[in-house]
């Protein structure tokens, strides 16, 4: 059975503005999200810039507000570390100064305790042949979550020490 070719839906600048206002009213978006969506809708670059300026002027889009919400969500719900959050925000086109300020605001979060909680959950489902194997697997997992080396080293040592069944 042949599939139908996907029809690219185009929008005018006014339609894009209305759509983005609705989207931004429901959840935080950053400038790169808006530009990516408008490009997908076939909005001309000049029109896209005008729409973006209006969205920013009317505070539908605010990159610092977006970054703050992003950091809170990734730390509290996903358990991400600072490195992974910073990389994701850079990919979104958020300025380094905004990233640094938002990370500093959330500096009161104890990343060691967050990582201990993640690793305790992970160790229950990890199959390892030895202490060294367990350490390596936990270390890779924590590094993938974006935590720094010293925090990972400390937390993995605590977890492996507590897990005396090896």
């Amino acid at each position: 059975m042949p599939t139908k070719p996907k029809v690219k839906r185009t929008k005018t600048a006014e339609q894009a503005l209305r759509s983005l206002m609705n989207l931004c009213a429901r959840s935080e978006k950053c400038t790169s999200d808006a530009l990516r969506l408008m490009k997908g809708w076939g909005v001309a670059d000049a029109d896209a810039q005008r729409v973006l300026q209006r969205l920013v002027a009317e505070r539908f889009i605010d990159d610092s507000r977006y970054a703050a919400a992003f950091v809170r969500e990734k730390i509290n719900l996903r358990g991400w570390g600072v490195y992974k959050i910073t990389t994701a925000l850079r990919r979104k086109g958020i300025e380094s100064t905004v990233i640094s300020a938002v990370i500093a605001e959330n500096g009161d979060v104890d990343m060691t305790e967050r990582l201990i909680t993640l690793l305790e959950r992970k160790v229950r489902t990890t199959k390892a042949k030895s202490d060294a194997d367990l350490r390596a697997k936990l270390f890779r997992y924590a590094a993938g979550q974006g935590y720094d080396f010293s925090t990972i080293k400390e937390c993995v040592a605590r977890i492996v020490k507590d897990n005396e069944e090896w």
Side-chain angles (χ1 to χ4, degrees), residues 10-110:
T10 59
K11 293 187 180 194
T12 65
E14 191 58 37
Q15 290 171 328
L17 177 65
R18 279 191 307 247
S19 293
L20 284 169
M21 283 180 168
N22 286 333
L23 282 172
C24 293
R26 284 185 264 138
S27 68
E28 289 292 340
K29 300 291 179 205
C30 64
T31 54
S32 66
D33 289 341
L35 289 172
R36 180 181 42 79
L37 286 168
M38 287 188 281
K39 184 177 183 178
W41 293 333
V43 177
D45 289 342
D47 290 336
Q49 289 302 320
R50 280 197 304 277
V51 168
L52 186 61
Q53 287 172 351
R54 182 155 173 212
L55 290 168
V56 169
E58 293 183 18
R59 307 243 329 129
F60 278 96
I61 292 179
D62 181 347
D63 281 349
S64 59
R65 189 177 65 213
Y66 172 84
F70 186 89
V71 169
R72 275 192 311 276
E73 187 235 339
K74 298 306 179 192
I75 287 175
N76 296 329
L77 299 178
R78 303 280 184 179
W80 285 13
V82 173
Y83 293 126
K84 191 168 185 177
I85 292 170
T86 302
T87 302
L89 286 172
R90 279 192 191 129
R91 247 187 247 128
K92 289 277 191 176
I94 308 295
E95 295 177 16
S96 296
T97 54
V98 173
I99 295 171
S100 299
V102 170
I103 296 280
E105 278 178 22
N106 290 284
D108 61 341
V109 175
D110 186 8

